[in-house]
Amino acid sequence: MPRLSFTTLVAAPLTVAFDVARALRRPWPGPLEEVESVRPVRDVYAGPGHGRRRVTHTRRYTATRAGTLVEEEVAWVTAGPLGRLADAVLRRRLRREMAAHLDGYAAAAARRALDVVQVVGVALVDGDRVLVARRSGGPYDGRWEFPGGKVEPGETELAALVREIREELGVVVVPRGFVGEVVLDGVVAGGAAGESTLRVWWAEVDTTAAVTAHEHSELRWVAAGELDSLDWIPADRPLLPAVRALLADR
Ligand SMILES: Nc1nc2c([nH]c(=O)n2[C@H]2C[C@H](O)[C@@H](COP(=O)(O)OP(=O)(O)OP(=O)(O)O)O2)c(=O)[nH]1
């Protein structure tokens, strides 16, 4: 089966990358239908494409430190005795059309990302322990989370991270690496439910200063084995394997 692959880095969180792709649909003259949708990590469209060949178009969305990596594959069935020749022509045409579509898609997703409030969190690491914080007040009162908060308009994610931790814990941190991204089930700052994501980085305290709870009711340094037993905000749980792996490497 002939196939083509494309890779695009979109400056948008997972949910925005997925939702904008869905709104734009797929760029084929035939009406491809969505046959599978696992928001926000994978979707598959299929249907009659160019020359009425059946086309299957699969996209995978992966969170990276620089945004959402969109990897896709277009596969089609070769038809008729002149199939190979037709495939070569089709391949060129698909490449051209996909390039134009992906440019427009990446720009539209980056624009949309500016209107969706993002949350950034920190897995603050010291040796083989990570800092967890208990929320005080609001809908998640008493639940454990990664300290952090909303990225403000015009602010970069890492600037927001450093600002939030200074406000909440009274220390300056140095971001070291990207841990992962999860969809927030709640409503963040008046947006739609499930629209915002939490992107977590791991970081270290820049000096020997001690962390202080300015906004949380409790802070705890915990080892990998203690993470599961805490009463987390439910959306955060899928991040725990990555945090455990981070601590195991140290
Ligand atoms: N900081 C943080 N927020 C989380 C986590 N998990 C999760 O669902 N959230 C949600 C709760 C809130 O709806 C939103 C973050 O809001 P926040 O109240 O902490 O942010 P902020 O400091 O900017 O708040 P604000 O007082 O300025 O309104 O993300 C998490 O692990 N860390």
Side-chain angles (χ1 to χ4, degrees), residues 37-140:
S37 177
V38 189
R39 183 178 187 269
V41 292
R42 179 179 144 90
D43 59 14
V44 182
Y45 282 66
H50 290 283
R52 314 307 293 167
R53 283 182 186 75
R54 189 171 171 78
V55 170
T56 305
H57 188 164
T58 305
R59 270 190 183 146
R60 276 190 301 131
Y61 305 77
T62 309
T64 74
R65 56 187 295 141
T68 300
L69 185 68
V70 183
E71 295 168 290
E72 55 198 295
E73 188 180 90
V74 182
W76 64 93
V77 177
T78 301
L82 292 176
R84 277 171 181 273
L85 186 62
D87 282 344
V89 174
L90 183 56
R91 196 175 278 276
R92 270 201 301 280
R93 187 165 168 191
L94 289 182
R95 275 220 183 89
R96 205 170 49 236
E97 287 174 12
M98 279 301 289
H101 171 77
L102 290 173
D103 285 350
Y105 162 52
R111 263 196 316 276
R112 174 74 192 127
L114 301 177
D115 296 330
V116 175
V117 175
Q118 276 307 121
V119 180
V120 62
V122 172
L124 195 57
V125 171
D126 183 9
D128 60 357
R129 293 181 311 158
V130 62
L131 187 79
V132 293
R134 194 170 212 172
R135 276 184 88 89
S136 168
Y140 298 113

